[in-house]
Amino acid sequence: MRPKTDARRLQMKSSALAVFCAKGYTAATVSDIARRAKVAHGTFYLYYDSKKAAFLDLMEDFARTVLSCFDELSTAQMPESGATADDLAGLLRRGYSAYFSLISENRRLARLFFRESALAEPDLARKRAEIIAEFAARAEVLTRRGREVGLLPEINAPVAALAVVGIIERVTAAFVSENNRFTEDELARELARFEVFGIAGKGGSHED
């Protein structure tokens, strides 16, 4: 009996995602989601207390997906002391490639997070801010590790992490938009270069 219940919950979640993406959070209704799932209106409440609960569940899905990518990068082998900035850029490029591949596979979910959650009610906006803070905490770990092995200067790690996550947030929002014109590889390469060398681009060979 349980597997059937789990399957129905996944169906409800998938239907909620489709409706939110099509109509936006504010305009979407529980009836829309139930209709999409081909169930009675009341059946929705067997799985979620409200439309907001369904949206929060989807936001948590996105957070878990992205944080898993951050965690994989955090456990990757950081270049040893004496390595070059290009070594660090290469590591970051591989991490960003994995990230944008993940986002591409979960484009609708990412679009929902970056577009709809910013426009939704205060509870959802707060949840979004909490998730972004978790992203920044992971980025801070990587920043500190880069500083420890001498690949980054004595910068303020929390501030640098927030700046990096802010850039990633805006670039990702553009990537999942309907008029995106960038490839995953382009974004991974340029973000890695920017993070290590900055706008001036000094200090590295910048080879692909």
Side-chain angles (χ1 to χ4, degrees):
M1 184 68 180
R2 185 54 186 252
K4 182 179 179 181
T5 301
D6 288 344
R8 180 58 63 85
R9 183 179 180 84
L10 288 174
Q11 178 189 10
M12 199 67 67
K13 182 185 293 189
S14 176
S15 298
L17 174 60
V19 170
F20 288 139
C21 286
K23 302 189 69 171
Y25 175 80
T26 302
T29 66
V30 168
S31 293
D32 291 329
I33 297 171
R35 191 178 306 113
R36 175 83 182 197
K38 299 181 180 179
V39 298
H41 180 94
T43 302
F44 173 90
Y45 294 101
L46 296 176
Y47 303 94
Y48 294 109
D49 294 335
S50 62
K51 176 179 77 170
K52 183 193 296 185
F55 194 88
L56 284 169
D57 195 20
L58 289 166
M59 289 180 71
E60 290 285 1
D61 278 356
F62 179 78
R64 283 192 294 270
T65 297
V66 175
L67 286 172
S68 68
C69 190
F70 270 104
D71 288 339
E72 285 180 19
L73 185 56
S74 295
T75 56
Q77 181 65 46
M78 179 65 74
E80 301 290 337
S81 297
T84 68
D86 284 312
D87 294 326
L88 179 58
L91 173 68
L92 289 173
R93 181 176 178 178
R94 291 190 293 275
Y96 279 129
S97 291
Y99 168 76
F100 283 111
S101 177
L102 195 64
I103 292 298
S104 187
E105 292 170 6
N106 296 273
R107 187 176 293 270
R108 288 199 306 168
L109 196 55
R111 188 177 295 160
L112 187 66
F113 179 83
F114 285 107
R115 184 170 62 190
E116 287 300 316
S117 65
L119 304 174
E121 56 193 75
D123 286 351
L124 299 178
R126 279 193 291 272
K127 184 61 178 179
R128 182 180 191 275
E130 290 173 8
I131 293 171
I132 293 294
E134 289 187 62
F135 295 167
R138 300 306 202 279
E140 183 178 340
V141 169
L142 292 172
T143 301
R144 291 186 186 280
R145 289 178 63 199
R147 199 172 62 182
E148 287 167 4
V149 299
L151 288 173
L152 295 176
E154 288 297 317
I155 55 177
N156 185 311
V159 173
L162 284 173
V164 168
V165 169
I167 293 170
I168 294 172
E169 183 182 359
R170 293 309 308 147
V171 170
T172 306
F175 178 62
V176 300
S177 69
E178 291 85 349
N179 57 357
N180 168 59
R181 64 182 188 278
F182 303 110
T183 67
E184 296 173 27
D185 187 62
E186 282 178 309
L187 294 177
R189 182 181 65 247
E190 295 308 323
L191 277 175
R193 285 175 172 174
F194 186 87
E195 191 169 340
V196 176
F197 305 117
I199 293 176
K202 296 178 180 178
S205 67
H206 297 196
E207 293 179 357
D208 289 339

